[in-house]
Amino acid sequence: SPLATRKELAAEVAILPFDYTSLSSLLGRAQRRTQSEKSTTDIFSQTLAVEDIRKACESYASANAGDEKVSVRPTQDGRVIVTVTYTELDPSKTELLQRRRREAEIQFMPGQDGTEVRMPFNNKAKEILFDITQRINAEAPQQVTRRSIEVSHLITAKDRTDFFLHLITGIPDFRSDDVTHLKVEVKMGKGPKLSASAKKKGKETFASAIEDIAIKGQSLLASPVYLELTEKGFFITSINWKARHITAPYEIVEFSAAFEEGGVGTGFKYNVGNRYPFLESRGSNAKSPQPIPKHEQPSYLTLLEQTARVALDQVGG
C-alpha cells in the first residue's frame, strides 16, 4: 500500500524469496533500454609519446575554467584518458530552458599505424580534440594530422554497401545473425569527379524523387524491399545488426554503425547495444536483452573499430 510506513515496507522486502543475484537479474530485465551515445574514432599520422599527449591534455585542462572539470589519467597499457565533465542546454525542455550535465571521455590509444583516438560522436568532443591537437602540434617537431574512417572516395553504390557488408560479417569470433535496421540513400554528396559512365548511371538513378529510406524489421538484407532498392542504385548508410559469439559465452550482441553524412560518406559513428546471454539450462539465448556493463563495452568498440578499417581496405582503402 502507498500508505505503508518505511518499516512496514522493509519488513515486506525482507521476506521476498530473492537473493542478491536473482534481484540483480530481475532489475536488469526490467531496466529500460536506452540508446547510448555513439562513438567515433580518429587516428593520428604518427604514434605520439604518452608524455606529449599527457602534457597537451593537462595544458587544455589548465586553460579551461568555468563549469568544465577535466581529469587526465595515463594507464599502464599506454593509453591516456581525458574525462571532461560539462553542462549544456537541454533541448528537450521546451517550457523552461535547463542545463544538463554531460561527460565526454576521450581515449588516446597506441595503434599499429599511429595513435588512435576514441571519443563520443558530438560537437563538444570534436572541439576538445581539435584544441588538444593544436597543443600537441605547438610542441611537436613534425606536425601531426588526423584521419577518419570515411567512404567519400567510393563512387559506386556497390562499394559503399560492400563496406557495411564486410563490417557486419568480419567481426572476429562473431557471426552475423540478423539485420534489424537499415537506412539507404541514393544521392551521393560532393566527392571525386565521376567518370562518364558513372555520371550517366547517376542521372538515371537521381531521377527518383526519393533520396533516402529507413527500413526496420528482420532479415532485411534478404527482404524484397531492400533488394529492389539496391537495383535502383540505393546504398547503405546506416545499419543495426545482431551478431552471435561463435565461442563461449555464445551471446548475441547488438551493434550499430552509420555515417552521419550518409550521402557524402563521412562522420563514421558506431555503438554496441544490448546482449542476449546464452542460457545453458534452455540451450538457447535469452529472449530479453540485457545492458552490457560499461567496463565491458570498450572491448566490443575496439572490435568494431578494427573491423571497420579492415572493411575499408577490402573495398579500396
Side-chain angles (χ1 to χ4, degrees):
S1 168
L3 302 178
T5 64
R6 181 183 180 88
K7 185 176 181 180
E8 291 171 337
L9 290 173
E12 293 291 339
V13 171
I15 62 175
L16 291 175
F18 300 109
D19 57 15
Y20 177 78
T21 303
S22 301
L23 185 58
S24 297
S25 177
L26 288 173
L27 291 175
R29 295 185 182 186
Q31 184 173 344
R32 293 183 63 184
R33 300 174 61 185
T34 57
Q35 293 292 333
S36 59
E37 191 167 38
K38 288 181 170 58
S39 299
T40 189
T41 180
D42 279 2
I43 183 168
F44 283 97
S45 56
Q46 57 186 273
T47 301
L48 305 174
V50 173
E51 185 64 17
D52 293 339
I53 299 173
R54 185 186 64 80
K55 286 182 179 179
C57 294
E58 290 179 348
S59 174
Y60 171 83
S62 61
N64 286 270
D67 65 348
E68 282 191 13
K69 293 183 179 179
V70 185
S71 67
V72 182
R73 178 168 58 92
T75 64
Q76 293 183 348
D77 57 3
R79 293 177 298 153
V80 177
I81 301 176
V82 182
T83 304
V84 181
T85 304
Y86 61 98
T87 61
E88 66 177 11
L89 289 176
D90 188 349
S92 65
K93 306 297 183 182
T94 56
E95 294 184 359
L96 180 64
L97 290 178
Q98 297 181 21
R99 301 193 70 87
R100 58 178 176 179
R101 186 164 294 277
R102 299 289 301 274
E103 181 179 285
E105 182 179 277
I106 302 176
Q107 294 192 38
F108 296 83
M109 306 169 290
Q112 294 181 351
D113 301 321
T115 298
E116 299 176 4
V117 186
R118 180 189 301 153
M119 61 184 181
F121 189 87
N122 60 46
N123 290 331
K124 181 63 176 181
K126 293 176 183 177
E127 292 172 2
I128 296 171
L129 181 59
F130 177 78
D131 191 302
I132 292 175
T133 303
Q134 286 188 311
R135 295 174 189 275
I136 291 174
N137 278 328
E139 302 294 334
Q142 180 181 356
Q143 296 291 290
V144 298
T145 58
R146 304 193 323 264
R147 67 179 186 274
S148 306
I149 296 173
E150 59 181 59
V151 295
S152 58
H153 59 290
L154 301 178
I155 63 173
T156 69
K158 181 180 183 304
D159 283 344
R160 293 202 177 186
T161 289
D162 282 349
F163 166 79
F164 283 100
L165 298 182
H166 287 305
L167 175 61
I168 69 174
T169 59
I171 301 178
D173 297 325
F174 278 88
R175 183 181 71 250
S176 178
D177 190 66
D178 191 17
V179 174
T180 58
H181 180 275
L182 280 175
K183 183 177 180 181
V184 294
E185 298 190 22
V186 71
K187 188 173 183 180
M188 293 189 184
K190 294 180 180 179
K193 292 183 178 180
L194 302 179
S195 64
S197 59
K199 287 182 178 179
K200 181 178 179 181
K201 183 177 180 181
K203 288 180 179 178
E204 296 173 353
T205 305
F206 293 165
S208 171
I210 300 175
E211 294 185 357
D212 61 82
I213 299 176
I215 315 171
K216 186 176 181 181
Q218 294 180 334
S219 304
L220 295 182
L221 293 181
S223 66
V225 173
Y226 169 74
L227 295 176
E228 182 180 352
L229 289 171
T230 57
E231 291 179 357
K232 293 182 178 180
F234 282 80
F235 53 90
I236 298 175
T237 60
S238 176
I239 190 168
N240 291 16
W241 76 100
K242 295 178 181 178
R244 183 183 300 273
H245 211 157
I246 60 177
T247 59
Y250 306 108
E251 61 190 356
I252 295 176
V253 181
E254 297 172 336
F255 294 102
S256 65
F259 287 103
E260 179 71 10
E261 300 294 335
V264 181
T266 59
F268 183 67
K269 54 185 180 180
Y270 54 91
N271 196 17
V272 58
N274 296 285
R275 64 182 173 195
Y276 300 76
F278 183 78
L279 305 177
E280 294 186 2
S281 59
R282 298 181 183 177
S284 62
N285 293 84
K287 299 297 183 182
S288 302
Q290 296 183 7
I292 297 177
K294 186 176 181 180
H295 70 275
E296 293 184 28
Q297 293 177 10
S299 61
Y300 295 101
L301 296 178
T302 298
L303 286 174
L304 274 177
E305 291 168 352
Q306 295 173 346
T307 307
R309 291 196 178 95
V310 172
L312 194 59
D313 291 337
Q314 291 175 325
V315 294

